[in-house]
Amino acid sequence: LEETVPLEAISVEGISLISAVGDYDGMVHHDVTKYYRRHEPNIKTTHGLDVAGLDTNCQVRAGDEKIYYTLTGESGWIETEEFRGPQGEVAVSANCKSVLLTTAGVTYHTENFGTNWTRVSNLTALRAVADRVADNKFYAYENDGSFKVSVDGGLTFAEVSTLPSGGSEVVRAAPGIEGDVWVALKAGGLARTTDSGTSFELLAVADARTVGFGKAAEGRSYFAIYIWGKPTASSTMGVYRSIDEANSWERVNDDKHQYGGPNDGNFLIGDMNEFGTWFLATGGRGIAYGRLSSNMNTAPTPPSTPSSPDYTMGTVAMGGAGYVAGIVTRTEEPHLTYIRTDVGGMYKWDGSKWNPLMDWVSYEDQGLLGVETLALDPKDPSRLYAVAARDDRSNGKTAFLRSTDYGETFEVIDVSHVWKAHGNGMGRVTGEKLVVDPGSSNVLYCGTRLDGLLKSTDYGSTWSKITSLNVTALAEDDPLPGYAWDGITDLFWRNGVSLVHPDPNSVDKGVAQRIFVGVSNFNGPSFFVSNDAGETWTEAAGGPAGFAPVRVAMRGTNELIVTFASAPGPWDVWGGGRAYRFTIDSGLWTQIISHEHGFGGVDVHPKNPDVIIMSSLAVYAQQGEPKQGEGEYVYRSEDGGNTWVNLMDNYTRSAYGDVEWIKHGTTADYSIHWGGCLKFDPSDYKKVWITSGNGIWRSTDIGASAVNWEFTVAGLEETVPLEAISVEGISLISAVGDYDGMVHHDITKYYRRHEPNIKTTHGLDVAGLDTNCQVRAGDEKIYYTLTGESGWIETEEFRGPQGEVAVSANCKSVLLTTAGVTYHTENFGTNWTRVSNLTALRAVADRVADNKFYAYENDGSFKVSVDGGLTFAEVSTLPSGGSEVVRAAPGIEGDVWVALKAGGLARTTDSGTSFELLAVADARTVGFGKAAEGRSYFAIYIWGKPTASSTMGVYRSIDEANSWERVNDDKHQYGGPNDGNFLIGDMNEFGTWFLATGGRGIAYGRLPPKCTSWADEKWYGFATTPDKSWHVE
């Protein structure tokens, strides 16, 4: 990643590149492929840079507040006594006697390095250039075409020639040759003088935006000349090189490497040490270079054979399919956009895809994948913060996550003793609860569900409650009366503080004095303000009764736009909503829109405060005519909120990155819904991000009459996998929450969902001897097929939700376990019979014997059915409290493995009559994959620990559990196996494994493609071809 804005660059013998750049000073490069330190002392943006022509140890650089010079080369910098102004361009005479500084259109002269400055007469040029030999001589080109020369060390200038007007300010004096000067004249071409400007030759060049010198070609006595321009009118604009003093030109870049052309610094120079290498000033892509392959002096060598192949890890391509609850951006950073999800961690956008930031989460801390709130530091873009927890995972552990490297790594601070969060609770759409004070990076505020408003003054290391804002009591008002689910705690239902918003315009004494806080209180005060940095609080009275704030956006310096809803969302917002304008100085609330639905996301255009965008919350309305989808409204106002247009009345949609499944439906599953947060894209304000229950969408042009929304989920995988199967010929058949699942022949490609859709698919099985026979069970329907991926038929009778299924080997019978009861059918659900003597959560079919099923009970009893699943009998006793995961080996009757958690791993080869307890310390789940080459038995995979001292993770055995190798790492833990609790191998590709996460999709590990050993190959050298490329065979 190279994003500097180069402003000047110089190459001299012995040093490839000395640079000046915006914000970050610049560097001295002896090797352009290596990193170096910035110029020190730092002066940040460095506009001016020059090196004396006859003494390269004499250097000057000018910033916006200081000027430094050195007489000793790369070090020993001394600040000038007097500073003459910002954005200064500098020129140093050949022997370092005098320095010229041009700032704000005025040029100053010094002969004592800034102790005294004298204004130069008769010069308005943007910059002057020193002759590289004559110590008293400087040159300048004025915009009116006059070419001026100074022969008194730069004190005075006189016009000596006239050139075409309107050219570039770039004048280059040739090193080592007095009076040899080149001028880039844009469309006026290229001019050269060899007599210090007395006369000029206008060279045969159609356009020259900038010009520079580089080392001469072999056999040539004069420098290589580089221009950004066009030798002829029909040429393509680009980098051109001449080795014969501009008599002929060769293009030395291509259309794939244009870099936006020369920009702010407007330089193109060659390397004085290496023929053919050039350096170009881009507008934000660093200093681009071109280099001949013949300059690459290291020959290719055979790679060494690694001691053990490295795994590639990622997630199976499905495409979103989970709820994105919030977005945070920085308008100053084009691609600095983060999203949080309710069960799948957080992601960062890189301009083309979403990159996961929390795959490091361990099995023990899997609840941290529920991210409740995010915050960016307004002063330091590298600082990212989050609060993460799920009340139903990891014993409710709540953590404050702190990153100082854009989310690459995090420090995890356990704050469970201070407050509890729930990233998957009601109100997760509101926010943000966590903010950084715009005046001081060390000060943070965090709203909580049950514990009011908290404050930290040490970057989140410690927290204290702001007792002056007593909103804890407000949480006692039940925001959702009548709801009561078993196992669902107050932490799920109560949202507490919904948002915190410090006013950046109120910073005084280092912190924001004015802070706004919203509370999910639907029966009383819900919006509060402090004008003394949180010491005291008052209600901002006058807002809508019966509603509570969802989100807020600042409009200008004196207005807030606040959305309200009758419930915290993201669903069941039946009581309508409002949006209000709050005028800060008067405290006046003004309603700007209302509807029977709630309002969620809101943002104000960063450059035009009259443009406001807003989304509904929890609407399932028809979108478009004819129907395009079913879900949220998105509104746009272009007059500050006085009038609104519903953009979903006339819109189109598409899939960025060709996510296949989203194209094949118009229900809410396939549309923008639960759209509680939207933001202008900082990389392009025509684009707007909006969150959705199925991922995230982005408009291509929010101002269009018919807005197109792209389903932009490349890299975002948030399904909750519930079951997966791999069979010969098909890498993966999956069942997932909400979005059915898919059939994957290639796990890197997107596919359609199972159709007909049944949404959450708890049960999935394939007959062991007939893979065309498949059954899948949802919360309202059960389907079966006898023809593989299609031809699904609904069963006549449905027995209950959350069903696990098992299909006998030859497809004769099916078992369905729902609500602790197992049912049997031999006619695909026309009739169901209750199975006797079984309370297990699931049964498993033998993959060969059609009448045989197995089950492990929580008390340790292992049961077998030999009548097709009608009745079960106990045949063995295993350690109790194990996993419900029982795996029957494909193609081998009676070969069954049972994961027993801390009880280890058990195997039977006689259908359960006897078991061997294998030498495994902990096995949470177990699965089979294709055998290793030269092995006759499957690869075995466990999530667990082979020994007590092992790290919990994915382990593979290729020798029937006699030895184990870990095949994931600490950066790729994904929270371990979760809801679906599966870990299986690919039956078609050795080494590939699939893991059920709790919201990060189906994780996989994969070995690199198989290669022939280098030891078996002979190596041959080849001569270079005319285009300087190498060919290896």
Side-chain angles (χ1 to χ4, degrees):
L1 174 64
E2 297 296 343
E3 204 189 356
T4 56
V5 177
L7 300 177
E8 188 55 272
I10 297 168
S11 180
V12 297
E13 288 186 10
I15 303 175
S16 285
L17 189 66
I18 309 169
S19 60
V21 304
D23 294 330
Y24 295 93
D25 296 88
M27 300 177 183
V28 175
H29 276 83
H30 295 272
D31 181 340
V32 296
T33 67
K34 294 183 179 180
Y35 298 106
Y36 293 87
R37 295 177 68 157
R38 290 162 60 175
H39 297 309
E40 293 174 352
N42 300 154
I43 55 175
K44 303 186 75 171
T45 296
T46 303
H47 296 276
L49 173 72
D50 200 16
V51 175
L54 299 179
D55 181 3
T56 57
N57 284 323
C58 172
Q59 302 177 20
V60 178
R61 53 192 180 95
D64 283 335
E65 296 177 354
K66 295 179 180 181
I67 303 173
Y68 280 87
Y69 69 96
T70 180
L71 303 178
T72 57
E74 299 178 36
S75 59
W77 290 93
I78 304 169
E79 184 179 354
T80 62
E81 289 187 21
E82 187 176 355
F83 176 70
R84 274 289 168 170
Q87 300 184 16
E89 298 284 350
V90 294
V92 183
S93 64
N95 273 319
C96 201
K97 180 180 178 182
S98 55
V99 177
L100 299 190
L101 169 72
T102 302
T103 172
V106 178
T107 301
Y108 299 90
H109 166 276
T110 182
E111 291 188 2
N112 50 23
F113 292 104
T115 302
N116 307 106
W117 293 94
T118 303
R119 182 164 179 164
V120 174
S121 63
N122 194 30
L123 188 65
T124 59
L126 295 176
R127 64 171 75 179
V129 175
D131 190 285
R132 312 315 281 172
V133 177
D135 198 43
N136 64 332
K137 198 174 288 186
F138 288 83
Y139 309 102
Y141 167 83
E142 303 268 27
N143 191 58
D144 64 0
S146 58
F147 186 82
K148 297 180 178 180
V149 179
S150 170
V151 292
D152 58 4
L155 275 169
T156 62
F157 279 75
E159 182 176 346
V160 294
S161 293
T162 301
L163 293 169
S165 62
S168 164
E169 78 275 20
V170 178
V171 176
R172 298 289 184 195
I177 308 173
E178 182 178 354
D180 190 354
V181 183
W182 298 62
V183 185
L185 295 169
K186 298 184 180 176
L190 183 65
R192 180 189 183 188
T193 177
T194 56
D195 56 11
S196 299
T198 302
S199 62
F200 272 92
E201 178 187 4
L202 287 176
L203 304 166
V205 170
D207 194 315
R209 301 294 158 135
T210 187
V211 63
F213 305 99
K215 185 178 180 179
E218 188 173 355
R220 299 282 180 169
S221 59
Y222 195 83
F223 310 101
I225 305 297
Y226 297 87
I227 63 166
W228 178 279
K230 302 193 296 182
T232 68
S234 61
S235 302
T236 300
M237 190 74 80
V239 180
Y240 287 84
R241 183 189 68 216
S242 174
I243 61 174
D244 55 8
E245 300 183 54
N247 287 301
S248 64
W249 296 92
E250 176 186 7
R251 190 180 181 195
V252 289
N253 77 321
D254 56 36
D255 289 347
K256 291 183 178 179
H257 298 89
Q258 301 187 71
Y259 307 102
N263 213 289
D264 303 74
N266 196 26
F267 65 74
L268 172 64
I269 64 171
D271 190 325
M272 284 298 183
N273 305 274
E274 187 175 84
F275 168 69
T277 297
W278 50 261
F279 305 110
L280 173 70
T282 75
R285 264 289 282 125
I287 300 175
Y289 72 81
R291 203 173 192 185
L292 292 171
S293 56
S294 57
N295 292 330
M296 311 303 183
N297 295 319
T298 53
T301 55
S304 59
T305 303
S307 57
S308 59
D310 292 329
Y311 262 80
T312 296
M313 282 163 277
T315 43
V316 173
M318 301 183 86
Y323 186 34
V324 175
I327 313 167
V328 294
T329 65
R330 271 178 61 97
T331 56
E332 306 91 342
E333 304 281 338
H335 293 301
L336 205 57
T337 299
Y338 297 89
I339 56 175
R340 59 179 173 89
T341 71
D342 52 1
V343 295
M346 52 184 154
Y347 293 77
K348 180 183 176 183
W349 179 248
D350 70 3
S352 62
K353 68 181 183 306
W354 295 102
N355 294 297
L357 302 181
M358 296 183 66
D359 289 348
W360 49 266
V361 171
S362 68
Y363 180 62
E364 293 76 16
D365 285 345
Q366 60 186 226
L368 300 188
L369 290 171
V371 181
E372 182 165 84
T373 184
L374 284 179
L376 284 172
D377 186 337
K379 289 178 171 291
D380 183 351
S382 68
R383 288 186 174 272
L384 172 67
Y385 302 100
V387 176
R390 282 183 62 181
D391 190 43
D392 56 343
R393 298 285 192 277
S394 308
N395 296 315
K397 177 180 177 179
T398 296
F400 177 74
L401 307 182
R402 179 168 65 190
S403 173
T404 57
D405 55 10
Y406 296 91
E408 292 296 315
T409 60
F410 284 93
E411 181 182 1
V412 180
I413 302 172
D414 191 340
V415 294
S416 305
H417 62 290
V418 184
W419 84 96
K420 290 292 187 74
H422 191 7
N424 197 32
M426 294 300 286
R428 57 194 182 272
V429 64
T430 64
E432 290 296 310
K433 295 174 182 281
L434 179 68
V435 294
V436 181
D437 192 294
S440 294
S441 295
N442 61 302
V443 177
L444 292 89
Y445 298 92
C446 187
T448 70
R449 291 178 174 268
L450 303 178
D451 296 293
L453 180 64
L454 306 176
K455 180 179 181 180
S456 172
T457 58
D458 54 11
Y459 298 94
S461 295
T462 60
W463 296 84
S464 59
K465 185 173 182 178
I466 297 179
T467 57
S468 57
L469 179 61
N470 186 20
V471 296
T472 305
L474 300 178
E476 297 304 316
D477 294 322
D478 189 351
L480 295 169
Y483 281 95
W485 290 354
D486 290 341
I488 303 297
T489 65
D490 277 355
L491 204 62
F492 176 85
W493 293 116
R494 300 188 192 284
N495 189 42
V497 176
S498 59
L499 62 89
V500 185
H501 182 78
D503 184 350
N505 303 295
S506 70
V507 173
D508 186 28
K509 301 175 183 176
V511 294
Q513 297 298 308
R514 187 180 300 112
I515 307 168
F516 299 97
V517 169
V519 182
S520 290
N521 179 31
F522 302 89
N523 302 307
S526 64
F527 204 77
F528 300 85
V529 60
S530 171
N531 289 302
D532 52 12
E535 291 296 319
T536 61
W537 297 82
T538 57
E539 178 193 353
F547 301 91
V550 177
R551 288 193 174 268
V552 63
M554 195 130 201
R555 180 173 181 262
T557 60
N558 193 40
E559 285 185 3
L560 301 178
I561 307 297
V562 188
T563 59
F564 291 85
S566 59
W571 40 266
D572 279 8
V573 184
W574 303 116
R578 308 283 187 270
Y580 274 69
R581 178 189 296 117
F582 179 73
T583 306
I584 295 172
D585 58 5
S586 66
L588 178 66
W589 290 94
T590 305
Q591 181 177 297
I592 55 176
I593 191 171
S594 67
H595 205 278
E596 62 188 13
H597 58 69
F599 286 94
V602 61
D603 202 14
V604 176
H605 194 293
K607 300 295 185 182
N608 184 356
D610 285 338
V611 178
I612 308 171
I613 51 171
M614 189 180 299
S615 65
S616 62
L617 181 60
V619 173
Y620 298 94
Q622 176 172 321
Q623 298 170 332
E625 185 61 54
K627 183 178 181 180
Q628 293 289 312
E630 179 182 284
E632 303 293 3
Y633 298 128
V634 179
Y635 299 94
R636 181 184 69 219
S637 173
E638 296 182 350
D639 56 10
N642 294 316
T643 59
W644 297 86
V645 175
N646 179 9
L647 302 179
M648 307 311 281
D649 286 341
N650 181 27
Y651 86 108
T652 58
R653 61 191 180 122
S654 58
Y656 174 91
D658 202 31
V659 178
E660 184 63 28
W661 70 267
I662 200 69
K663 306 173 186 177
H664 299 283
T666 58
T667 62
D669 286 3
Y670 296 86
S671 311
I672 299 171
H673 66 282
W674 290 11
C677 184
L678 42 68
K679 292 283 186 183
F680 281 98
D681 184 340
S683 69
D684 184 350
Y685 294 144
K686 291 191 299 184
K687 299 178 180 180
V688 168
W689 294 106
I690 183 168
T691 61
S692 179
N694 51 24
I696 189 165
W697 300 69
R698 184 172 63 170
S699 68
T700 51
D701 185 353
I702 198 66
S705 57
V707 174
N708 180 64
W709 292 97
E710 285 186 322
F711 189 53
T712 310
V713 295
L716 172 63
E717 298 295 340
E718 206 199 344
T719 55
V720 177
L722 300 176
E723 188 57 89
I725 297 168
S726 182
V727 296
E728 288 187 15
I730 303 175
S731 285
L732 190 66
I733 308 170
S734 60
V736 304
D738 294 330
Y739 293 91
D740 296 270
M742 300 176 183
V743 175
H744 275 84
H745 295 273
D746 181 340
I747 60 174
T748 66
K749 294 182 179 180
Y750 297 108
Y751 292 88
R752 295 175 69 157
R753 290 163 60 177
H754 298 308
E755 294 173 351
N757 300 155
I758 55 176
K759 302 189 76 170
T760 296
T761 303
H762 296 275
L764 173 72
D765 200 16
V766 174
L769 298 179
D770 181 5
T771 57
N772 285 322
C773 173
Q774 303 176 19
V775 177
R776 53 192 178 95
D779 283 335
E780 297 178 346
K781 296 179 180 181
I782 302 172
Y783 279 88
Y784 70 95
T785 180
L786 304 177
T787 56
E789 297 175 37
S790 59
W792 291 93
I793 303 167
E794 185 179 353
T795 61
E796 290 188 28
E797 188 177 351
F798 177 71
R799 273 289 165 172
Q802 300 183 19
E804 298 283 353
V805 294
V807 182
S808 64
N810 273 318
C811 201
K812 180 181 179 182
S813 55
V814 176
L815 300 189
L816 169 72
T817 301
T818 174
V821 178
T822 299
Y823 299 90
H824 167 276
T825 182
E826 291 188 0
N827 50 25
F828 292 105
T830 302
N831 307 104
W832 293 95
T833 302
R834 182 165 180 165
V835 173
S836 62
N837 194 30
L838 189 65
T839 60
L841 294 177
R842 65 171 75 180
V844 174
D846 191 282
R847 313 314 283 172
V848 176
D850 197 43
N851 63 333
K852 199 174 290 186
F853 289 83
Y854 308 101
Y856 167 80
E857 302 271 26
N858 191 59
D859 64 1
S861 58
F862 186 82
K863 297 179 177 180
V864 179
S865 172
V866 292
D867 57 5
L870 276 170
T871 62
F872 279 78
E874 182 177 346
V875 292
S876 292
T877 301
L878 293 169
S880 62
S883 165
E884 76 276 12
V885 178
V886 176
R887 299 288 184 195
I892 307 173
E893 181 179 353
D895 190 354
V896 182
W897 299 62
V898 185
L900 296 168
K901 297 183 179 177
L905 184 63
R907 180 190 184 187
T908 177
T909 55
D910 56 11
S911 300
T913 301
S914 61
F915 272 92
E916 178 186 5
L917 286 176
L918 304 167
V920 170
D922 196 315
R924 302 290 157 140
T925 188
V926 64
F928 304 101
K930 184 177 181 179
E933 188 174 355
R935 300 283 181 169
S936 59
Y937 195 81
F938 309 102
I940 306 295
Y941 298 88
I942 63 166
W943 179 279
K945 301 194 296 183
T947 68
S949 61
S950 302
T951 300
M952 189 75 79
V954 180
Y955 289 85
R956 184 192 69 213
S957 174
I958 61 173
D959 56 7
E960 298 183 59
N962 287 301
S963 63
W964 296 91
E965 178 185 5
R966 189 181 181 196
V967 289
N968 76 322
D969 56 38
D970 289 348
K971 291 182 179 180
H972 299 88
Q973 301 185 73
Y974 306 102
N978 213 289
D979 302 73
N981 196 28
F982 64 74
L983 172 64
I984 64 170
D986 191 324
M987 284 298 183
N988 306 275
E989 185 175 86
F990 167 70
T992 297
W993 50 261
F994 304 111
L995 173 71
T997 74
R1000 265 289 283 130
I1002 299 175
Y1004 71 81
R1006 201 173 196 180
L1007 290 169
K1010 186 178 183 296
C1011 297
T1012 305
S1013 168
W1014 291 108
D1016 296 336
E1017 300 296 325
K1018 293 182 179 179
W1019 282 79
Y1020 301 91
F1022 286 79
T1024 57
T1025 56
D1027 64 354
K1028 308 294 193 299
S1029 62
W1030 281 89
H1031 296 270
V1032 179
E1033 295 184 359

